[in-house]
Amino acid sequence: MSGRRTGGGGRETGVTDHRERPRRRGQGELEAQILSALREAEGPATVGRVLDRLDGDLAYTTVITILTRLLAKGAVTRERVGRSFVWTPASDQAGLAAHRMRKVLDKESDREAVLASFVTGLGPDDERLLRELLGRSRNEGED
């Protein structure tokens, strides 16, 4: 007997697969990579062109899924060209991060508490920068 157990239908069970799995990407990392590839394309790009610019072994369908999610977030636009789409970035990295921050804030019932906690957790340089940005936005609103 080989020491391997088989279940119904002759399938092996209890056998550990020790092959290395690819590193899981952090939340938003794949979106950032695809947005970067779109920006580097210097114009509307097909999914195939995006894939060519990406390092790695992503599937065509994975890129389409991520682009569709970015479209729903307003980070990209698409236009039909023939039978397929071309994609264009509508937002940069900062815009995408700001969108994620607003989405988190919108899910909370006590916005004041969340914002207060966020601001008190900022370092002195970030707090100063935030105050400058808020001052600028108020001044621009008065013009």
Side-chain angles (χ1 to χ4, degrees), residues 70-81:
L70 289 168
L71 180 67
K73 294 177 180 182
V76 299
T77 60
R78 73 178 179 190
E79 180 181 341
R80 185 172 287 282
V81 175

Side-chain angles (χ1 to χ4, degrees), residues 9 15-16 21-22 44-45 47 54 65 68 71 76 100 103 107 128-130 140 142:
V15 177
T16 304
R21 292 197 173 109
V47 172
L54 292 172
T65 299
T68 302
L71 180 67
V76 299
R100 286 194 301 261
K103 196 171 176 182
K107 289 180 182 177
R128 179 188 45 74
L129 178 59
L130 182 58
E140 290 171 3
E142 294 173 358

Side-chain angles (χ1 to χ4, degrees), residues 66-118:
I66 299 300
L67 284 167
T68 302
R69 288 179 186 164
L70 289 168
L71 180 67
K73 294 177 180 182
V76 299
T77 60
R78 73 178 179 190
E79 180 181 341
R80 185 172 287 282
V81 175
R83 292 175 41 183
S84 62
F85 289 103
V86 292
W87 303 81
T88 307
S91 179
D92 59 7
Q93 284 297 106
L96 188 58
H99 175 79
R100 286 194 301 261
M101 291 167 67
R102 282 190 302 273
K103 196 171 176 182
V104 168
L105 184 59
D106 288 345
K107 289 180 182 177
E108 298 299 324
S109 58
D110 190 350
R111 294 173 74 91
E112 183 177 347
V114 172
L115 287 170
S117 180
F118 176 76

